[in-house]
Amino acid sequence: MVEPERYQNQDPGPCVLYIRCGGTDSATLAALAGLVGQFTPIVRVERPDAVVADVRPAVGFYGLLPEQLALMISTRAAGLYDVALTIGVAGSRTVAYILAGRIRAVDADPGAVADFLRPQPVAALPGITADAVRALVAAGLGTVGRVAAAPLHEVKRILGAGPGRAVWDRAHGVDAGPLVPEAPPGALAADRLFTADATDRGALSRAVIELGLGLGDRLRSTGRTATGLTLTVRLGGGSSVSRSRTLPTPTSDPGRLAEAAFAMHEALGAHQAPVRAVALRAEGLSAADAVPARPVPAGAVRGRAVLPSTLAVHPVQEERRMSS
C-alpha cells in the first residue's frame, strides 16, 4: 500500500516534459535546452540525449495544455535543428521518462498513473540497473505493477534498502525530489520559425532585428550581459549558414544587440535558397553592470512599425495566433 504521508504534496498537474533527441551531439542538446528555456525556466539537461522540464509556468501563463507546448517544441526543434523529438508528458519525471517514445501524455490522476504503470516491464523504470531487473524478475516482480503491489520491506530485501526504496517509489510514479533547474546558462537563444519558407530579405532583416531586441529585453530582465552573438539562418533545403561576432563590450542593451544582429545578417550576403528559420544566440553571459542604454537603431523601429503582429511577440503567442 502507498504511504499517504509521502505523496500528499505531489502536484497533480501533468506538467513535466521528458524530451528525448537520441543520437544528437552535445551542441544540439544544449541548443534544445535553450529552446525549451524560452517556455520555462525549469529546465535540466539529462545526458546523453534528453532534456527534462516543468512547463507549469507556461501552462498557467498562456493557458495551453502541456501536450500543445510539447508539440510546439517538437515542431520548432525540427525546423531549427533538424532533429526528431520524442516527448513524454506526465505529473512526474518517472512517468514522463517511460512515456517518451513519442508525444504522449498521462493524466496526473493516481488511478490513471497506476493503470499506465501496471503492465510496464520493470526495466522501463528510470535509473534501474540490469542486476536489479534480474533480481526482481527472479522474485516474480517483473512488472512495475507487481513491484508497486509488493510490500516495501520485500523490495528492500531483494535490492537493498536504498535501491529498494528508490525502485518502489518509482513504481508508484513518484520522483525522488522536485525538478531543480540548472544554474543560469552561459547562453540565451531566440528564434523565428516561418510558417512558409521566406524569401523577402527585408522581412528577414526585420526578423533578425526583433530577435536582437528580444534577447536584450530578456538579458536585462535577468540581470545579465552578453559578450558575443551567433546568428544561424536555416535554409529551406535543410542546410544552414551562420556567423558569430564578439561584441566590443559586454552588453544587454537591446539596441546594440539588434544592431549587431542586423550587421551579421547583412554580412552573410544574398543567398538564393528560401529561409525556413532564423536563430540568434547571445553567448558569454555574466552578471550585468549598470551601463547607459543606446538608442534603438532606426531599422528596428521600422521593423516594429511594419510587422508588429508577427515580430514583436513571444514565440508561444506567435504559434497560438497561427493555429487560430
Side-chain angles (χ1 to χ4, degrees), residues 104-288:
R104 299 174 60 195
V106 165
D107 190 83
D109 174 75
V113 172
D115 289 343
F116 167 73
L117 290 175
R118 191 175 297 113
Q120 303 295 328
V122 72
L125 291 173
I128 194 167
T129 66
D131 287 342
V133 170
R134 284 192 289 268
L136 290 169
V137 170
L141 304 179
T143 66
V144 175
R146 290 184 178 180
V147 173
L152 174 58
H153 66 81
E154 178 66 13
V155 180
K156 286 183 174 181
R157 183 189 65 78
I158 297 169
L159 300 180
R165 171 96 247 184
V167 168
W168 192 81
D169 280 347
R170 288 170 181 164
H172 289 100
V174 176
D175 298 326
L179 176 61
V180 179
E182 293 179 303
L188 194 64
D191 61 72
R192 173 78 190 276
L193 180 62
F194 297 100
T195 54
D197 291 346
T199 56
D200 183 342
R201 186 168 179 83
L204 291 172
S205 295
R206 290 192 293 272
V208 168
I209 288 170
E210 289 292 337
L211 291 179
L213 292 170
L215 279 181
D217 290 340
R218 290 168 61 194
L219 286 170
R220 281 187 166 177
S221 70
T222 56
R224 291 178 290 171
T225 60
T227 60
L229 288 175
T230 294
L231 173 69
T232 300
V233 178
R234 186 164 184 80
L235 305 177
S239 61
S240 62
V241 291
S242 49
R243 182 170 288 269
S244 296
R245 169 172 293 194
T246 300
L247 300 171
T249 57
T251 185
S252 62
D253 182 80
R256 292 178 184 273
L257 294 173
E259 185 176 359
F262 176 77
M264 284 193 293
H265 185 249
E266 289 295 295
L268 286 175
H271 44 75
Q272 299 301 316
V275 173
R276 180 172 301 168
V278 290
L280 186 65
R281 183 177 173 91
E283 299 165 332
L285 305 191
S286 60

